[in-house]
Amino acid sequence: MRFLRDNALTLLFLLLTVLALAGQAFSGLADQNEEQAARGAPQTTLPDYVTSSSFAVDVAENWQSEYLQFFLFILVTVWLVQRGSTQSKPPGKEGAESDEEQNVGEHAGPDSPPWARAGGLRGALYSRSLGLVMGVVFLWSWLAQSVAGWAADNDRRLGDLQDPQSWGDYLLSPDFWNRSLQNWQSEFLAVASIVALSIYLRQRGSPESKPVGSPHDATGVEG
Amino acid sequence: MRAVLASVLVAAALTGCAQRQGGQAAAAATAVLVAAQRGDGAGACAGLVPSAAESLETQGRPCAEEIVKLGLRSGPTDGGEVWGDAARVRVGADTVFLFRWGDGWKVAAAGCRPRAGRPYECRVRT
């Protein structure tokens, strides 16, 4: 019970991910089977659909954009600030900050992670581990999108009586960039919205908001 | 290293799977062309997807009568190339396009010749 309470936020979103993926699988299968029925083709089964390139590219294109959003946000907020936003450091604190401010090396406390105390390569790696992991998952899922999208697009091309194309040609194709950019634009807008709206709007009790009575120009304050 | 090995194994498995499916698609394409070539119109039309067979049924004449008049010829195949639920097989000088149909394949277009910058031109198509 204590475990559930201490980890409720992560667990809820993992559960929502699984439920949404299942919903995507069933609705995507129904959509595909409607098209199959229209041309008199046999119905696709759920196992065949969830292992298809069209399902994989739909999943991967959304994953890559989410991880790109977090990767960029984590990195850019080191250097850029927004006065009044809960998502920003106060102006004047731009940059990687001092070892003392970051509790690393000789400034590490007794409860600091061992790699924060270690310094050297381990310390440098650990100091960037959040951005690195987000960046690696972004690149991995963008690569997965490119491979699955290549396969799905070649499937479509053969259906349109056209020759399949190489992976290199697919990377330069409108399909690849349309899938990427249509996801990126929504992620960038969402980041700009939370950064700017948290200056003026409040959500009582949420750490993503300032306390309701905080002034608009208070920066980096969490409720 | 494990990730690289796993990727190689997955790629090898997919390649083997694609080759086997390409062979099945090539066999389905050849069966339609051989039947049409020897005058077995009903046999040839049975290997077409329904919309391709219907496209041949002009002026009340059945697919089986029309398909044998198109001059479709069988020949050596390139083994076929499969992407998802679609395949392309080179048969002699012509190209055949197929759709996955249940556990097998059916011909969606046959007697196709490439056109620069445009889809293939086909004597049979959906």
Side-chain angles (χ1 to χ4, degrees):
Chain A
M1 201 60 201
R2 169 92 187 263
F3 175 84
L4 286 179
R5 189 182 142 198
D6 286 352
N7 299 285
L9 195 54
T10 305
L11 291 172
L12 172 69
F13 278 95
L14 285 177
L15 177 66
L16 289 175
T17 302
V18 171
L19 292 175
L21 261 178
Q24 182 187 348
F26 281 105
S27 56
L29 174 66
D31 185 40
Q32 178 159 315
N33 277 337
E34 276 186 10
E35 291 175 19
Q36 306 267 70
R39 59 185 173 99
Q43 300 283 282
T44 301
T45 62
L46 185 64
D48 281 346
Y49 179 68
V50 297
T51 53
S52 70
S53 55
S54 60
F55 181 71
V57 68
D58 289 347
V59 171
E61 74 178 47
N62 283 282
W63 285 23
Q64 60 87 1
S65 66
E66 301 300 335
Y67 283 95
L68 172 65
Q69 176 199 62
F70 282 119
F71 169 65
L72 283 181
F73 195 41
I74 290 162
L75 234 60
V76 167
T77 50
V78 174
W79 298 100
L80 301 183
V81 297
Q82 173 59 60
R83 185 183 298 278
S85 175
T86 57
Q87 309 297 312
S88 169
K89 300 191 281 190
K93 293 203 73 178
E94 293 92 336
E97 303 178 16
S98 67
D99 285 359
E100 188 177 2
E101 287 170 304
Q102 288 289 313
N103 301 329
V104 294
E106 63 187 40
H107 303 285
D111 296 334
S112 295
W115 281 39
R117 194 177 298 111
L121 181 63
R122 278 191 301 166
L125 205 59
Y126 189 67
S127 297
R128 295 162 180 80
S129 54
L130 187 58
L132 275 173
V133 167
M134 294 293 182
V136 167
V137 178
F138 157 63
L139 288 176
W140 174 83
S141 48
W142 201 25
L143 175 67
Q145 178 203 321
S146 76
V147 173
W150 173 44
D153 194 55
N154 277 343
D155 186 355
R156 178 196 62 77
R157 289 176 67 89
L158 288 179
D160 291 342
L161 310 183
Q162 292 175 292
D163 284 325
Q165 61 184 351
S166 69
W167 182 61
D169 285 341
Y170 179 69
L171 291 184
L172 300 173
S173 74
D175 185 75
F176 176 67
W177 286 102
N178 182 37
R179 283 181 180 276
S180 298
L181 291 165
Q182 69 170 300
N183 281 282
W184 293 358
Q185 55 87 12
S186 63
E187 304 304 336
F188 298 152
L189 177 65
V191 170
S193 299
I194 185 68
V195 168
L197 293 178
S198 69
I199 301 171
Y200 303 105
L201 304 179
R202 308 286 186 269
Q203 185 65 48
R204 186 170 180 154
S206 172
E208 302 309 310
S209 163
K210 292 185 252 196
V212 179
S214 290
H216 292 331
D217 63 357
T219 309
V221 184
E222 293 181 347
Chain B
M1 192 61 203
R2 280 182 187 170
V4 173
L5 185 61
S7 302
V8 170
L9 289 175
V10 168
L14 289 175
T15 304
C17 186
Q19 282 175 349
R20 188 172 66 250
Q21 296 198 2
Q24 291 170 349
T30 303
V32 167
L33 297 181
V34 165
Q37 190 174 346
R38 69 169 186 235
D40 176 12
C45 289
L48 301 181
V49 301
S51 54
E54 285 161 15
S55 74
L56 293 176
E57 293 169 353
T58 52
Q59 297 174 342
R61 286 192 291 271
C63 171
E65 270 184 32
E66 295 298 307
I67 197 166
V68 295
K69 299 177 190 168
L70 298 176
L72 298 173
R73 292 285 176 270
S74 185
T77 75
D78 66 348
E81 184 167 351
V82 173
W83 290 95
D85 292 333
R88 185 200 65 193
V89 182
R90 309 268 192 217
V91 187
D94 287 342
T95 300
V96 177
F97 291 90
L98 302 99
F99 289 152
R100 193 185 302 279
W101 212 261
D103 293 333
W105 292 89
K106 287 205 173 198
V107 170
C112 303
R113 295 289 171 96
R115 294 182 294 182
R118 298 176 63 193
Y120 279 68
E121 185 169 39
C122 305
R123 277 171 277 170
V124 180
R125 60 171 298 172
T126 56

